[in-house]
Amino acid sequence: GAVVSQHPSWVICKSGTSVKIECRSLDFQATTMFWYRQFPKQSLMLMATSNEGSKATYEQGVEKDKFLINHASLTLSTLTVTSAHPEDSSFYICSASDYRGRTGYTFGSGTRLTVV
Amino acid sequence: DAKTTQPTSMDCAEGRAANLPCNHSTISGNEYVYWYRQIHSQGPQYIIHGLKNNETNEMASLIITEDRKSSTLILPHATLRDTAVYYCIVRGNSGNTPLVFGKGTRLSVIA
């Protein structure tokens, strides 16, 4: 089955620094990737949609200059949290799709970001 | 995409069938019903999806009412490892539109 690898699984960083999260599709070409954020005891909130080779589309209220998304290849998308602050601490999850009649989207295992 | 309504939480005894309901009364003709689950601190896992016919796979069965306004996910023999939040999502099946998650149902399987 389709596998999406997300790395790192957890990261602790100092306030003001930047953190990069990688999302890779291991056995399929992901034409589209989605990034979600999940706060404790809440559901997943869509942050942005990225299509390979084009700029990401951000959901309302998500700062595109703070959450930089790059989808330069069909197997890799990255989310960079720039100048992180404690309120950015969250669980970040990516999802990938080739969506040629497949049964569903595949999710990464998530990245727990803690900003101190 | 149509909105879904699910109970906040449910309990199920280990070994018994877990029946998770979902209301999607505003579903349109070309929208599918998807079920995902999320075990604590992991990414969501695909379970099953369907359009109008009942579906079954190795994980679960999906029963969709004839008017398609509601559905039930059935885990035939729940185990402790099935404890998770279960999300019912309705979306069209064309293009790369994202899955939009509601609050889901927290299923607790009890020994």
Side-chain angles (χ1 to χ4, degrees), chain A residues 32 36 38 43 97 99 105 108, chain B residues 34 36 38 93 96-97 99 102:
Chain A
T32 304
Y36 294 82
Q38 186 175 33
S43 187
S97 166
Y99 223 72
Y105 295 173
Chain B
Y34 285 83
Y36 280 76
Q38 185 179 26
N93 211 32
N96 283 326
T97 54
L99 294 171

Side-chain angles (χ1 to χ4, degrees), chain B residues 77-90:
Chain B
H77 304 287
T79 70
L80 298 179
R81 286 179 293 182
D82 292 322
T83 293
V85 178
Y86 288 76
Y87 296 98
C88 168
I89 301 169
V90 170

